[in-house]
Amino acid sequence: MAKKKEKNTAKEETVQVVEGDVEEEETHDDNSPEAYVLTGDYRADYTEICKRSDLSIIPLKLRATSPASSGTEVPEGAPTTFVTKDKYCYLKPSIEIESDDENKDSIKSFHIKGWKVSPQLLNALSLAAPQSLNTISLWRCGLTQEGLIVIVGMLTKLPIRNLLLDGNPQCAGEYYVLLSEECNLSTLSLRSNKMRCEHMKQLGAALAGNKSLTNLSLHNNNIGDVGAIHLAKGLRMNRTLLTLNLSANELSDSGTQAISEVLTSLNLSHDEIVARRKLISENKTSVTNDEPPTTQEAGLKRDLAATAEQGLTLH
């Protein structure tokens, strides 16, 4: 009797294991957008991912370039007339793309203008994005915090260097996340985003530790003098920013003076010197292997000299 019971329990265990395997197989969906394997053709990849995500397929259009910008000459005898289009054609949502120079099936940038972009569509663009993508432009697209999270994810996995988010005030207090160590942006444009002085405190703190950004535009915001002072504190520790646009930001003499003091030679406080030395020690990869080791005193003099020679253009 004992042997029969053992056989029955063994059968029950095998049945349970098989049922568990079936459940795991059922939960695994090969038709999910995340399971799609990119083919290298951005149009085909984007279309397939939109279908798997049950999204309406927004048409991709090749971004128009003038003959001067493309380096091509207009042939003699070319027609000078214009082709008329439907009057509602320019009001329909579309995504303008620029093809990669080496691979015409891939892209190097996409631009969206004047229509609300959902986080789901941004996720589809992210899943289809190739490694050649280096520029993203979203102008007045109603960007939400959820959509901003998707963009940050794109910055961490792709070599994107230029990001333009003009006219998206919904995330005015969250844009400092774009200056984290995981994001290697070179150009960031945050024009007309209704950013105020309280938003500059976090942005200035993030700017102090940023090591990649060279161009920052904050044109047409409301940062005021207090916001300019917060930015100036961050710029005291920043060594990479070259261009800063603060036009149309309601700055008076006090805010302008705070920024101008950063543009001239300045004396670092003891705490700033310690923090500066810490940043340099963490960024040893930028120092060549052939450089002879320096003493702490010599390194400190070098830091102070570099601070005095910092060049920052203010618009």
Side-chain angles (χ1 to χ4, degrees), residues 24 37-39 46 77 81 83 96 101 110 117 119 126 128-129 136 150 154 259 279 304 315:
E24 291 180 358
V37 179
L38 300 181
T39 63
Y46 163 74
T81 56
V83 178
E96 295 184 356
D101 297 333
F110 68 78
V117 180
S126 174
I136 296 177
V150 177
M154 295 178 67
I259 297 294
L279 287 175
L304 293 176
H315 296 285

Side-chain angles (χ1 to χ4, degrees), residues 143 165-173 175 192-195:
L143 184 67
L165 300 177
D166 303 335
N168 294 284
Q170 294 83 355
C171 301
Y175 285 128
S192 305
N193 280 327
K194 298 183 180 180
M195 302 179 73

Side-chain angles (χ1 to χ4, degrees), residues 239-259:
R239 307 300 324 142
T240 58
L241 193 67
L242 299 177
T243 304
L244 175 63
N245 189 344
L246 293 178
S247 58
N249 268 290
E250 302 180 356
L251 297 183
S252 65
D253 293 343
S254 59
T256 305
Q257 182 179 359
I259 297 294

Side-chain angles (χ1 to χ4, degrees), residues 273-295:
I273 292 175
V274 173
R276 178 66 188 149
R277 293 293 296 161
K278 184 178 179 181
L279 287 175
I280 292 178
S281 64
E282 293 175 352
N283 195 25
K284 290 182 179 180
T285 55
S286 63
V287 180
T288 59
N289 296 328
D290 297 334
E291 183 180 356
T294 58
T295 61

Side-chain angles (χ1 to χ4, degrees), residues 192-203:
S192 305
N193 280 327
K194 298 183 180 180
M195 302 179 73
R196 300 186 298 273
C197 59
E198 57 267 26
H199 302 146
M200 293 300 103
K201 187 173 183 179
Q202 291 177 311
L203 190 68

Side-chain angles (χ1 to χ4, degrees), residues 64-196:
T65 56
S66 61
S69 62
S70 60
T72 58
E73 298 181 358
V74 180
E76 296 183 1
T80 57
T81 56
F82 296 93
V83 178
T84 59
K85 294 185 178 181
D86 180 49
K87 61 181 179 180
Y88 298 110
C89 176
Y90 295 100
L91 300 179
K92 296 179 181 179
S94 64
I95 301 175
E96 295 184 356
I97 61 174
E98 285 186 85
S99 298
D100 185 33
D101 297 333
E102 298 179 357
N103 183 8
K104 297 302 181 181
D105 292 332
S106 187
I107 65 170
K108 62 181 181 180
S109 68
F110 68 78
H111 307 257
I112 300 177
K113 296 182 179 181
W115 52 275
K116 187 175 178 62
V117 180
S118 65
Q120 293 76 18
L121 180 59
L122 285 175
N123 186 57
L125 292 170
S126 174
L127 293 175
Q131 288 296 320
S132 58
L133 184 66
N134 59 32
T135 301
I136 296 177
S137 176
L138 303 177
W139 181 76
R140 294 188 178 182
C141 294
L143 184 67
T144 61
Q145 293 183 0
E146 187 178 357
L148 184 62
I149 294 174
V150 177
I151 291 178
V152 172
M154 295 178 67
L155 296 179
T156 56
K157 72 175 185 178
L158 297 171
I160 298 172
R161 301 291 291 168
N162 309 306
L163 180 62
L164 296 83
L165 300 177
D166 303 335
N168 294 284
Q170 294 83 355
C171 301
E174 308 295 333
Y175 285 128
Y176 68 93
V177 300
L178 300 173
L179 300 180
S180 62
E181 294 182 1
E182 293 78 12
C183 305
N184 294 317
L185 286 175
S186 175
T187 299
L188 176 61
S189 180
L190 300 173
R191 299 156 54 100
S192 305
N193 280 327
K194 298 183 180 180
M195 302 179 73
R196 300 186 298 273

